[in-house]
PDB file of all heavy atoms in Angstrom:
ATOM      1  N   VAL A  74      -7.198  42.402  -5.966  1.00  0.00           N
ATOM      2  CA  VAL A  74      -6.345  43.586  -5.974  1.00  0.00           C
ATOM      3  C   VAL A  74      -4.900  43.184  -5.904  1.00  0.00           C
ATOM      4  O   VAL A  74      -4.046  43.708  -6.628  1.00  0.00           O
ATOM      5  CB  VAL A  74      -6.706  44.502  -4.790  1.00  0.00           C
ATOM      6  CG1 VAL A  74      -5.733  45.671  -4.689  1.00  0.00           C
ATOM      7  CG2 VAL A  74      -8.140  45.027  -4.925  1.00  0.00           C
ATOM      8  N   LYS A  75      -4.594  42.195  -5.073  1.00  0.00           N
ATOM      9  CA  LYS A  75      -3.204  41.688  -4.934  1.00  0.00           C
ATOM     10  C   LYS A  75      -2.879  40.619  -5.961  1.00  0.00           C
ATOM     11  O   LYS A  75      -1.734  40.205  -6.030  1.00  0.00           O
ATOM     12  CB  LYS A  75      -2.982  41.168  -3.534  1.00  0.00           C
ATOM     13  CG  LYS A  75      -3.119  42.184  -2.451  1.00  0.00           C
ATOM     14  CD  LYS A  75      -2.830  41.584  -1.087  1.00  0.00           C
ATOM     15  CE  LYS A  75      -2.931  42.629   0.046  1.00  0.00           C
ATOM     16  NZ  LYS A  75      -2.690  42.007   1.369  1.00  0.00           N
ATOM     17  N   ASN A  76      -3.896  40.158  -6.700  1.00  0.00           N
ATOM     18  CA  ASN A  76      -3.724  39.081  -7.666  1.00  0.00           C
ATOM     19  C   ASN A  76      -3.118  37.846  -6.992  1.00  0.00           C
ATOM     20  O   ASN A  76      -2.167  37.235  -7.507  1.00  0.00           O
ATOM     21  CB  ASN A  76      -2.864  39.537  -8.833  1.00  0.00           C
ATOM     22  CG  ASN A  76      -3.311  38.909 -10.145  1.00  0.00           C
ATOM     23  OD1 ASN A  76      -4.383  38.362 -10.270  1.00  0.00           O
ATOM     24  ND2 ASN A  76      -2.456  39.020 -11.167  1.00  0.00           N
ATOM     25  N   THR A  77      -3.665  37.505  -5.868  1.00  0.00           N
ATOM     26  CA  THR A  77      -3.145  36.431  -5.047  1.00  0.00           C
ATOM     27  C   THR A  77      -4.242  35.513  -4.577  1.00  0.00           C
ATOM     28  O   THR A  77      -5.337  35.980  -4.186  1.00  0.00           O
ATOM     29  CB  THR A  77      -2.412  37.007  -3.807  1.00  0.00           C
ATOM     30  OG1 THR A  77      -1.318  37.842  -4.228  1.00  0.00           O
ATOM     31  CG2 THR A  77      -1.876  35.905  -2.894  1.00  0.00           C
ATOM     32  N   VAL A  78      -4.003  34.229  -4.634  1.00  0.00           N
ATOM     33  CA  VAL A  78      -4.894  33.226  -4.118  1.00  0.00           C
ATOM     34  C   VAL A  78      -4.308  32.617  -2.859  1.00  0.00           C
ATOM     35  O   VAL A  78      -3.071  32.353  -2.809  1.00  0.00           O
ATOM     36  CB  VAL A  78      -5.200  32.150  -5.172  1.00  0.00           C
ATOM     37  CG1 VAL A  78      -5.976  30.960  -4.571  1.00  0.00           C
ATOM     38  CG2 VAL A  78      -6.043  32.740  -6.322  1.00  0.00           C
ATOM     39  N   TYR A  79      -5.118  32.364  -1.873  1.00  0.00           N
ATOM     40  CA  TYR A  79      -4.685  31.854  -0.589  1.00  0.00           C
ATOM     41  C   TYR A  79      -5.312  30.491  -0.314  1.00  0.00           C
ATOM     42  O   TYR A  79      -6.407  30.216  -0.780  1.00  0.00           O
ATOM     43  CB  TYR A  79      -5.058  32.796   0.562  1.00  0.00           C
ATOM     44  CG  TYR A  79      -4.528  34.196   0.389  1.00  0.00           C
ATOM     45  CD1 TYR A  79      -5.333  35.202  -0.157  1.00  0.00           C
ATOM     46  CD2 TYR A  79      -3.255  34.545   0.785  1.00  0.00           C
ATOM     47  CE1 TYR A  79      -4.875  36.477  -0.310  1.00  0.00           C
ATOM     48  CE2 TYR A  79      -2.770  35.852   0.629  1.00  0.00           C
ATOM     49  CZ  TYR A  79      -3.598  36.776   0.069  1.00  0.00           C
ATOM     50  OH  TYR A  79      -3.110  38.092  -0.075  1.00  0.00           O
ATOM     51  N   LEU A  80      -4.606  29.697   0.449  1.00  0.00           N
ATOM     52  CA  LEU A  80      -5.177  28.462   0.982  1.00  0.00           C
ATOM     53  C   LEU A  80      -4.948  28.497   2.487  1.00  0.00           C
ATOM     54  O   LEU A  80      -3.807  28.287   2.950  1.00  0.00           O
ATOM     55  CB  LEU A  80      -4.555  27.213   0.358  1.00  0.00           C
ATOM     56  CG  LEU A  80      -5.197  25.894   0.797  1.00  0.00           C
ATOM     57  CD1 LEU A  80      -6.624  25.777   0.270  1.00  0.00           C
ATOM     58  CD2 LEU A  80      -4.344  24.696   0.309  1.00  0.00           C
ATOM     59  N   GLN A  81      -5.974  28.795   3.233  1.00  0.00           N
ATOM     60  CA  GLN A  81      -5.915  28.773   4.684  1.00  0.00           C
ATOM     61  C   GLN A  81      -6.134  27.342   5.142  1.00  0.00           C
ATOM     62  O   GLN A  81      -7.159  26.751   4.855  1.00  0.00           O
ATOM     63  CB  GLN A  81      -6.965  29.696   5.300  1.00  0.00           C
ATOM     64  CG  GLN A  81      -6.985  29.724   6.800  1.00  0.00           C
ATOM     65  CD  GLN A  81      -5.745  30.353   7.405  1.00  0.00           C
ATOM     66  OE1 GLN A  81      -5.311  31.382   6.962  1.00  0.00           O
ATOM     67  NE2 GLN A  81      -5.179  29.686   8.387  1.00  0.00           N
ATOM     68  N   MET A  82      -5.190  26.802   5.870  1.00  0.00           N
ATOM     69  CA  MET A  82      -5.231  25.427   6.325  1.00  0.00           C
ATOM     70  C   MET A  82      -5.233  25.411   7.825  1.00  0.00           C
ATOM     71  O   MET A  82      -4.264  25.796   8.473  1.00  0.00           O
ATOM     72  CB  MET A  82      -4.016  24.642   5.786  1.00  0.00           C
ATOM     73  CG  MET A  82      -3.867  24.709   4.268  1.00  0.00           C
ATOM     74  SD  MET A  82      -2.537  23.653   3.649  1.00  0.00           S
ATOM     75  CE  MET A  82      -1.111  24.533   4.385  1.00  0.00           C
ATOM     76  N   ASN A  83      -6.357  24.950   8.386  1.00  0.00           N
ATOM     77  CA  ASN A  83      -6.514  24.863   9.816  1.00  0.00           C
ATOM     78  C   ASN A  83      -6.632  23.423  10.277  1.00  0.00           C
ATOM     79  O   ASN A  83      -6.936  22.528   9.473  1.00  0.00           O
ATOM     80  CB  ASN A  83      -7.782  25.604  10.288  1.00  0.00           C
ATOM     81  CG  ASN A  83      -7.717  27.095  10.012  1.00  0.00           C
ATOM     82  OD1 ASN A  83      -6.669  27.720  10.067  1.00  0.00           O
ATOM     83  ND2 ASN A  83      -8.886  27.682   9.703  1.00  0.00           N
ATOM     84  N   ASN A  84      -6.376  23.185  11.571  1.00  0.00           N
ATOM     85  CA  ASN A  84      -6.436  21.840  12.103  1.00  0.00           C
ATOM     86  C   ASN A  84      -5.665  20.841  11.256  1.00  0.00           C
ATOM     87  O   ASN A  84      -6.152  19.789  10.885  1.00  0.00           O
ATOM     88  CB  ASN A  84      -7.895  21.394  12.276  1.00  0.00           C
ATOM     89  CG  ASN A  84      -8.054  20.155  13.114  1.00  0.00           C
ATOM     90  OD1 ASN A  84      -7.187  19.814  13.929  1.00  0.00           O
ATOM     91  ND2 ASN A  84      -9.132  19.431  12.913  1.00  0.00           N
ATOM     92  N   LEU A  85      -4.427  21.174  10.985  1.00  0.00           N
ATOM     93  CA  LEU A  85      -3.617  20.370  10.121  1.00  0.00           C
ATOM     94  C   LEU A  85      -3.340  18.993  10.707  1.00  0.00           C
ATOM     95  O   LEU A  85      -3.208  18.882  11.940  1.00  0.00           O
ATOM     96  CB  LEU A  85      -2.316  21.075   9.763  1.00  0.00           C
ATOM     97  CG  LEU A  85      -2.431  22.184   8.734  1.00  0.00           C
ATOM     98  CD1 LEU A  85      -1.264  23.114   8.794  1.00  0.00           C
ATOM     99  CD2 LEU A  85      -2.563  21.527   7.339  1.00  0.00           C
TER     100      LEU A  85
END
Side-chain angles (χ1 to χ4, degrees):
V74 174
K75 297 181 179 179
N76 215 14
T77 300
V78 171
Y79 304 96
L80 185 67
Q81 179 68 46
M82 305 185 294
N83 297 326
N84 192 24
L85 282 161

